[in-house]
Amino acid sequence: MTFEALNLHEALVRALQAAGYTEPTGVQAEAIPPALAGKDLMVSSRTGSGKTASFMLPALTKVLASRSLPATPGSKARGPRVLVLTPTRELAMQVAKAASDYGRFVPGLRVATVVGGVPYGAQLAALRGPLDILIATPGRLIDHLGSGKAMLGNLDMLVLDEADRMLDMGFIDDIRLITEATPAARQTMMYSATFAGHVGRLAQELLRDPQRIEVSSQTEAHGDIEQRLHWADDFEHKNALLDHILTEKNVDQALVFTSTQRDADWLADRLHEMGHSVASLHGGMPQGRRNRVLQGLRSKQLRVLVATDVAARGIDVPTISHVINFGLPMKEEDYVHRIGRTGRAGRTGLAVTLAERRDSGMIHRIQRYTTQRIPLATIEGLEPKRSAPLPMPAGAPPRGGKSFGPRPAGGKPFKPAGKTFAKPGFPRPAR
Ligand code: AMP
């Protein structure tokens, strides 16, 4: 299958060639033809599968089509042709980048983002001018709709990206208000890991005779992401495991997840003291700083990023070779999103989970959710003293069976008790 076979406009095919893409990914091959035919879609496709292009290419096709329409005399219709709603600012930025990348040969393409946490001025200016594609987080868009600054009466296509996440974040009423401001005849594409429960009900409300596309379910093995689970006896042991992994040569860039913002700052500070080029990223930071941190990651000035779940959504940096779960997620779905930050754009990745005994409930839930056991692993010299709290999966190596070589000379010996990594006056975060 080629992009030409998908009947895409030549301006889009050229942009795809410029991006170096030779053929559509699974979700692109499945979603683009019905989307171009005007169908409403419900799509589940894992992160990293090329899903952004699967809606952005049809969206840009709408924009190109609108260019050739004669202006209706006396028409006051204003506002974008396409609206993409995303749960987070980072994902919105990522989608905006995809719009400009794939739309680079669309004459005079106008893309704007409307997200929270940034000043209103530039957004208002963008909303006043002519606009093709608007990418927004629901809360801030509602503000602009309320003040009459955003108009959606001209909309041809609505995309809800990571709809399940938006509902988890409590955006259901905002999404309803936003869709009420759009024409009923619009085309709607909804992306979600699941369409069970409230997401399915929202799909029923918003979509007309939708086609369901499920490319690779969230429970399917991540062929390109190797997963490992290390049991740690205690917090200090977990720190020692992390330190060992981060000193391995094959770590190109690592994304380390913590459960809380406070842990992210604390851990980034500790790793900085150890000499790593590291920063933290979480929702408590101003947007300008978050953007600079992401830029530092993309330009490889940063080798390690310590982040919380919300901030890490939408991060698309192909050189992230390792995802390390230092603190477990609150929800099992987030495990899948986290590990999807590596193994991107056809590369391989390693997702390492460091768990203490009290995390065993969440590990169980993750394994049930993904219907896979995370293979157990140990590091020579840093084996846990206590036995693993979970039964071993059939066919997995025996306890301690998988070892990743001796610790490098000069590495700090692990002391099970005694040494604490917290600086005086910088207490270990409350657990
Ligand atoms: P996404 O799932 O949209 O976050 O995309 C994951 C990554 O795949 C991004 O880095 C895209 O730039 C890249 N990508 C998208 N479509 C293709 C394609 N057809 N061939 C190769 N890479 C692609």
Side-chain angles (χ1 to χ4, degrees):
M1 165 82 77
T2 60
F3 282 112
E4 285 87 347
L6 291 176
N7 270 329
L8 287 169
H9 192 283
E10 136 330 289
L12 305 181
V13 174
R14 252 200 305 152
L16 292 163
Q17 279 164 353
Y21 304 162
T22 49
E23 56 182 36
T25 65
V27 64
Q28 291 162 7
E30 288 211 37
I32 290 173
L36 292 181
K39 292 281 298 174
D40 280 3
L41 301 183
M42 293 160 73
V43 187
S44 301
S45 174
R46 72 176 176 80
T47 177
S49 60
K51 70 183 168 84
T52 314
S54 78
F55 62 76
M56 194 48 77
L57 294 169
L60 288 162
T61 305
K62 291 265 189 214
V63 172
L64 282 159
S66 74
R67 289 280 193 278
S68 52
L69 292 177
T72 325
S75 159
K76 290 230 166 42
R78 278 213 303 125
R81 291 275 167 189
V82 177
L83 169 65
V84 183
L85 290 178
T86 71
T88 64
R89 301 176 257 200
E90 275 73 18
L91 188 57
M93 298 302 176
Q94 204 63 55
V95 172
K97 184 170 180 304
S100 348
D101 285 351
Y102 304 137
R104 60 195 285 188
F105 299 117
V106 174
L109 179 69
R110 293 153 305 206
V111 178
T113 51
V114 154
V115 295
V118 294
Y120 281 75
Q123 295 182 355
L124 289 171
L127 289 172
R128 262 198 303 275
L131 197 54
D132 297 310
I133 300 181
L134 178 62
I135 299 148
T137 49
R140 181 58 71 93
L141 181 56
I142 286 286
D143 289 353
H144 289 299
L145 279 174
S147 64
K149 297 292 187 289
M151 289 186 210
L152 300 176
N154 213 15
L155 208 72
D156 286 330
M157 182 188 275
L158 169 67
V159 181
L160 300 156
D161 197 7
E162 300 200 357
D164 50 337
R165 184 69 175 181
M166 287 198 276
L167 296 198
D168 283 351
M169 291 168 80
F171 284 136
I172 181 114
D173 292 334
D174 290 355
I175 291 174
R176 286 207 179 100
L177 277 173
I178 291 166
T179 49
E180 277 165 20
T182 68
R186 64 168 199 268
Q187 181 182 5
T188 310
M189 296 173 77
M190 191 160 166
Y191 286 71
S192 181
T194 167
F195 282 93
H198 58 181
V199 195
R201 285 193 291 280
L202 184 68
Q204 265 180 352
E205 273 176 46
L206 301 185
L207 307 185
R208 273 171 310 155
D209 184 24
Q211 186 168 328
R212 177 86 172 94
I213 293 177
E214 209 165 351
V215 175
S216 77
S217 80
Q218 300 288 5
T219 59
E220 205 168 280
H222 288 275
D224 40 8
I225 302 171
E226 184 187 340
Q227 301 173 61
R228 292 178 191 168
L229 171 62
H230 290 269
W231 285 107
D233 292 324
D234 51 27
F235 189 67
E236 282 71 31
H237 187 192
K238 199 161 77 163
N239 275 294
L241 289 165
L242 175 70
D243 294 347
H244 177 86
I245 294 163
L246 289 179
T247 56
E248 284 177 349
K249 279 200 212 55
N250 60 0
V251 178
D252 197 352
Q253 282 181 303
L255 177 54
V256 182
F257 281 98
T258 58
S259 307
T260 66
Q261 299 183 355
R262 203 169 153 213
D263 286 9
D265 285 335
W266 175 85
L267 185 58
D269 196 73
R270 182 177 83 67
L271 295 174
H272 178 72
E273 293 227 323
M274 292 179 66
H276 290 287
S277 46
V278 56
S280 60
L281 184 77
H282 56 68
M285 289 162 50
Q287 188 61 30
R289 188 156 144 228
R290 284 162 74 167
N291 290 343
R292 282 195 296 283
V293 167
L294 279 176
Q295 196 42 45
L297 190 69
R298 283 201 189 95
S299 63
K300 295 196 95 178
Q301 280 167 297
L302 290 175
R303 184 163 167 271
V304 182
L305 182 68
V306 186
T308 56
D309 284 295
V310 167
R313 271 183 112 82
I315 291 184
D316 178 16
V317 179
T319 42
I320 294 174
S321 55
H322 287 59
V323 165
I324 303 170
N325 294 310
F326 184 82
L328 288 194
M330 304 294 173
K331 296 176 147 209
E332 43 273 42
E333 302 92 276
D334 283 333
Y335 174 82
V336 177
H337 283 289
R338 286 178 173 199
I339 71 171
R341 300 295 129 203
T342 183
R344 292 179 83 77
R347 299 183 193 219
T348 55
L350 184 59
V352 182
T353 298
L354 308 176
E356 290 179 68
R357 226 179 170 71
R358 62 161 165 257
D359 299 321
S360 56
M362 181 44 85
I363 297 287
H364 266 306
R365 289 205 291 284
I366 290 168
Q367 298 193 140
R368 213 175 317 123
Y369 179 73
T370 61
T371 63
Q372 290 169 31
R373 285 217 184 272
I374 313 175
L376 285 185
T378 56
I379 291 172
E380 204 177 303
L382 284 175
E383 295 87 351
K385 306 250 177 310
R386 303 168 73 179
S387 59
L390 294 179
M392 284 297 297
R399 248 184 72 69
K402 194 162 187 187
S403 189
F404 300 100
R407 309 190 59 218
K412 275 201 212 119
F414 166 59
K415 291 195 204 128
K419 178 161 174 32
T420 160
F421 290 92
K423 287 185 296 182
F426 203 120
R428 176 189 152 156
R431 314 298 307 162

